[in-house]
Amino acid sequence: MATLMAAARPELLETSDAAIEEAVGHGDPMVLRGVLYLLTGDPDLKTMATRTVAFGQMDAIVPASDDEIAMVRSKAVAFLKAYRDSGAPPIDPGSPEHVRESMEQLLAGTIPEADVAMATEELALDPWARALQWQAAPDPERLAEFSVTVIGTGMGGLNAALQLKRAGIRYTVFEKNAGVGGTWYENRYPGARVDGSSRTYSHLYGVDFPCPYNFAPQERNQAYFDWVADEFGLRDEIVFETEVTALSWDDQAAMWDVETVGPNGRATHRSNAVITSVGFLNRPNIPQIEGMERFEGPSWHTVHWPEGMDLSDKRVAVVGTGCTGYQMVPELAKEAAHVVVFQRTPQWLMPMSGYLSRVPEGLNWLDRNMPYHTNFMRLRNAYRIGDFFSKVTEIDPDFDDPHSVNPANKALRDRSIAFLERKLGDARLGDRRLVDIMTPRHPVWSARIVLVDEDECILDALQRDNVELVTSGAERINEGGIVDGAGKQHDVDAIIYATGFKANDYLHPMKITGRGGLTIDQLWAEDGPRAYLGCMMPGFPNLWTIYGPNTNGGLQVAAYHELTTLYALQCMEKLILEGRHAIEVKEDAYWRYNRFVDERNRRRVWSDRRAHSYYWEGGRSPGMNPLTATENWQFMRYPDFSDMDVR
């Protein structure tokens, strides 16, 4: 396990007692409890009483009283002063048993045996816990001959490149954009930010990357991906502004032909294996509205935000009110003269205190100066989130409520409606209360929910004098603006399409041809995209997809990406060590896993037909993962080679 060296903390050695006390006052008491137990083993920490409180869409365990908080902070101050005065030497985290007990102090509960390894990985004491560890030394000649193509440089693609580099496997990365970052390089609309914890929206080896926001805006996410590319020297192997248009498997040579188009035209590249990391929300969904081409002003999808666009004193139409629209409208309203929001379906909103805010500087000081603080902050945000997600989305057939599917799901609904009532009060749109207009008719989590700031969000923007909400949709477009579903003309200077992405068009628009001429489109023709463990398809040897079918939910995004990459590398390891050439999932294993996933998805709230979203299409869910975090980790951590043909 990694240890933190004194040389990394010159700041602590110069910090006054008062500054230490001030910084600790901003620390999360549960995190301090776990860290201090790891560092000191103080038995008093084990007696601290706790309670459960609402925290955004989830529940959080916190100390039961102010006295408990004062106790743990006092101990943290005393430790840091003594640690500073001793010169801040390295501190070993101790035995696996001690680490587990420390994690349990953080979580205020016993970690089940099945979860210990997964939780320990997420703690990131070993930043390379999800890197390939060769079972034997590979033959140098065989290793030198083997090569991999990686497609995309978002979170998954950068990690794949780094892990291949660490394993000594040759690779080339193709990226259609001019820079790394994937969706965060492309999505630069006002208000763009993550709606999950930034502490877990990073790889294990990024655990110490500065985290000034709990929910980072676009520019901070982009900075992280630039750091990964630069810190680990990945840019030299990335071919930018080059899009992969087709993949074709040569069965005789056991190689993939990778067709690309870039600044120098079309080219073909060959490799033994391919890892696609083209993203989940990657291709914009452009609506088809009558007369779009007639509009005389500028119009664009949010993913194509024009650089330097100035909307001050402009009349702006926003078509679409998913997560992007709800994030963007409050920012536009501060700049534009008038904003018309075209909404057909409202989304569930979950309030989060401080969603838009920077964290206190004292918290970042603890990150830099308290050993293992970043590790426990990460685990605090990561552990059992997938299990909570399962809890609120599982349909209870015995639960009798027309609007919800189980008690936890109803509690979330009640929390959201209470927020609407608190923010909107008696505000009206015509003869209807705005609360009723903004209340979805589908259960919570049958479509994506939207995390918003308690103090400043779409609900505040809708009550501004310069914002107009249209609930009849955009019927047609003409030279001067948009005609709504009620026949009213809305003259605008610009139209912004916040209409989301073709989320279930996996790997589109690449043409992928596997063994025997089988194409991905043919494999998925009957009822949409599928994959074994979200990453392998029969008939497509040596091909793995990151963020593939049925990998949304169940695990944190970064964890899923890391586990998929490690899974792929373990398959490649088998080929290299055994002198084999091709590996693919057996068809019966592919269908066995997918029948299992489909059955579990039918028991999830997103199967509710009142919702209309990419969570459910064509009688099933191509994207959602219905399994718990533990189940996913157990499936992904070590390949079951009996499910594969290796030749």
Side-chain angles (χ1 to χ4, degrees):
M1 292 185 177
T3 56
L4 302 177
M5 304 302 291
R9 295 190 180 81
E11 181 182 12
L12 174 61
L13 301 180
E14 303 298 325
T15 303
S16 68
D17 288 358
I20 289 175
E21 292 166 5
E22 197 277 335
V24 169
H26 295 292
D28 181 319
M30 297 303 295
V31 171
L32 295 176
R33 181 195 194 191
V35 173
L36 285 171
Y37 192 83
L38 183 83
L39 296 170
T40 68
D42 186 338
D44 290 347
L45 296 164
K46 300 179 72 172
T47 64
M48 190 175 83
T50 61
R51 61 189 177 97
T52 301
V53 298
F55 183 71
Q57 62 169 309
M58 292 171 286
D59 294 329
I61 298 174
V62 300
S65 69
D66 289 343
D67 288 343
E68 304 280 8
I69 294 173
M71 179 272 291
V72 75
R73 285 183 171 159
S74 174
K75 288 180 179 293
V77 168
F79 167 80
L80 283 166
K81 290 178 180 178
Y83 184 55
R84 175 201 60 193
D85 295 344
S86 68
I91 300 178
D92 189 276
S95 68
E97 293 75 20
H98 181 63
V99 170
R100 176 178 180 174
E101 195 171 6
S102 301
M103 292 192 292
E104 291 176 339
Q105 298 310 304
L106 165 74
L107 303 169
T110 301
I111 300 175
E113 197 62 40
D115 286 4
V116 172
M118 177 180 65
T120 303
E121 283 183 358
E122 277 302 326
L123 189 61
L125 294 178
D126 178 2
W128 305 108
R130 292 176 183 152
L132 178 67
Q133 307 298 326
W134 287 95
Q135 299 177 59
D139 175 76
E141 184 175 343
R142 173 66 176 154
L143 184 61
E145 291 173 351
F146 197 90
S147 65
V148 181
T149 294
V150 178
I151 306 173
T153 61
M155 175 173 281
L158 287 174
N159 179 66
L162 174 53
Q163 301 299 355
L164 287 164
K165 181 176 181 177
R166 282 183 58 84
I169 299 174
R170 287 193 301 119
Y171 69 94
T172 300
V173 186
F174 292 104
E175 168 55 59
K176 64 181 171 60
N177 294 318
V180 303
T183 190
W184 295 107
Y185 181 88
E186 296 176 352
N187 283 276
R188 306 181 187 190
Y189 61 85
R193 67 194 315 119
V194 293
D195 56 1
S197 167
S198 290
R199 292 285 179 173
T200 58
Y201 199 73
S202 62
H203 309 93
L204 296 184
Y205 46 81
V207 66
D208 288 327
F209 187 78
C211 194
Y213 297 88
N214 287 325
F215 302 91
Q218 179 272 333
E219 60 271 17
R220 193 64 194 175
N221 297 318
Q222 182 61 44
Y224 172 73
F225 293 121
D226 282 328
W227 173 81
V228 173
D230 295 331
E231 176 73 12
F232 300 106
L234 303 179
R235 292 188 190 272
D236 288 347
E237 305 304 325
I238 301 173
V239 183
F240 289 105
E241 298 182 274
T242 301
E243 184 168 4
V244 174
T245 58
L247 301 172
S248 301
W249 174 253
D250 182 338
D251 200 44
Q252 185 173 0
M255 298 282 284
W256 281 100
D257 289 324
V258 181
E259 297 180 27
T260 64
V261 60
N264 297 320
R266 298 188 177 276
T268 300
H269 170 83
R270 299 201 102 195
S271 63
N272 301 84
V274 174
I275 297 176
T276 72
S277 185
V278 295
F280 173 56
L281 304 177
N282 174 258
R283 299 289 173 171
N285 179 38
I286 308 296
Q288 298 302 310
I289 303 174
E290 179 186 343
M292 290 174 65
E293 71 286 351
R294 296 174 56 192
F295 183 61
E296 294 180 347
S299 62
W300 62 90
H301 190 279
T302 52
V303 78
H304 298 138
W305 196 271
E307 187 174 353
M309 173 57 65
D310 182 4
L311 294 175
S312 57
D313 301 323
K314 297 290 193 300
R315 299 166 301 172
V316 181
V318 175
V319 179
T321 51
C323 183
T324 296
Y326 280 178
Q327 287 184 337
M328 180 176 61
V329 168
E331 297 302 315
L332 294 180
K334 299 173 184 177
E335 178 183 4
H338 190 71
V339 180
V340 187
V341 182
F342 290 83
Q343 172 177 283
R344 286 194 183 274
T345 305
Q347 310 301 325
W348 286 110
L349 304 178
M350 289 297 160
M352 172 61 73
S353 176
Y355 176 66
L356 298 175
S357 306
R358 293 179 68 96
V359 302
E361 173 52 34
L363 191 63
N364 289 147
W365 184 93
L366 290 169
D367 282 342
R368 296 189 302 270
N369 294 288
M370 189 169 197
Y372 307 113
H373 185 265
T374 58
N375 305 85
F376 279 76
M377 284 291 291
R378 179 187 180 90
L379 188 64
R380 169 80 152 147
N381 287 276
Y383 183 65
R384 303 307 284 272
I385 299 301
D387 292 350
F388 176 84
F389 185 60
S390 297
K391 177 182 176 183
V392 300
T393 60
E394 182 82 17
I395 297 172
D396 179 353
D398 297 323
F399 185 69
D400 185 16
D401 185 275
H403 306 296
S404 308
V405 298
N406 66 45
N409 187 262
K410 183 180 186 303
L412 278 188
R413 185 181 194 277
D414 292 345
R415 193 179 301 175
S416 181
I417 290 177
F419 178 59
L420 293 177
E421 294 277 4
R422 186 167 72 251
K423 296 293 282 188
L424 299 178
D426 294 325
R428 305 183 76 83
L429 179 61
D431 60 353
R432 295 177 62 194
R433 285 187 71 208
L434 201 51
V435 167
D436 181 61
I437 291 171
M438 294 301 292
T439 299
R441 299 301 181 254
H442 53 270
V444 174
W445 270 119
S446 53
R448 184 178 179 180
I449 69 167
V450 182
L451 207 63
V452 296
D453 192 88
E454 281 190 334
D455 299 321
E456 180 185 353
C457 69
I458 180 66
L459 301 179
D460 300 285
L462 291 178
Q463 298 178 80
R464 291 176 60 119
D465 292 338
N466 67 330
V467 176
E468 178 182 0
L469 178 64
V470 176
T471 60
S472 57
E475 186 68 22
R476 62 185 181 275
I477 297 175
N478 53 39
E479 292 84 355
I482 300 177
V483 178
D484 67 24
K488 179 182 176 181
Q489 170 76 22
H490 299 269
D491 291 329
V492 295
D493 302 306
I495 300 175
I496 304 170
Y497 297 107
T499 47
F501 299 85
K502 297 179 178 180
N504 293 327
D505 288 356
Y506 287 96
L507 306 181
H508 178 82
M510 288 188 293
K511 181 179 180 181
I512 303 178
T513 306
R515 184 168 45 80
L518 177 70
T519 68
I520 282 286
D521 289 343
Q522 290 171 333
L523 178 68
W524 292 344
E526 183 176 344
D527 56 5
R530 297 179 179 274
Y532 171 79
L533 305 187
C535 66
M536 295 182 78
M537 290 75 66
F540 296 85
N542 299 6
L543 174 67
W544 294 269
T545 62
I546 295 175
Y547 227 160
N550 296 117
T551 62
N552 192 42
L555 275 172
Q556 299 285 347
V557 173
Y560 225 135
H561 290 1
E562 289 174 317
L563 288 169
T564 301
T565 298
L566 176 56
Y567 187 94
L569 263 65
Q570 289 176 104
C571 291
M572 296 178 202
E573 175 191 38
K574 187 173 183 67
L575 296 180
I576 293 168
L577 293 182
E578 296 182 5
R580 308 288 192 94
H581 301 285
I583 185 169
E584 66 179 282
V585 64
K586 296 175 181 177
E587 190 162 350
D588 64 333
Y590 169 83
W591 283 109
R592 182 177 70 248
Y593 176 78
N594 277 280
R595 284 192 295 268
F596 171 66
V597 167
D598 283 351
E599 175 57 32
R600 290 282 290 270
N601 266 327
R602 281 190 284 271
R603 291 150 46 189
R604 294 292 183 199
V605 66
W606 43 81
S607 66
D608 192 295
R609 292 301 78 235
R610 284 170 288 181
H612 302 281
S613 84
Y614 64 84
Y615 278 17
W616 193 270
E617 288 185 359
R620 57 178 291 269
S621 178
M624 297 304 291
N625 184 285
L627 311 183
T628 66
T630 302
E631 289 173 317
N632 278 298
W633 187 89
Q634 290 173 336
F635 270 123
M636 297 296 301
R637 190 58 178 82
Y638 302 101
D640 181 353
F641 290 114
S642 68
D643 280 350
M644 302 180 204
D645 282 324
V646 186
R647 54 189 190 278

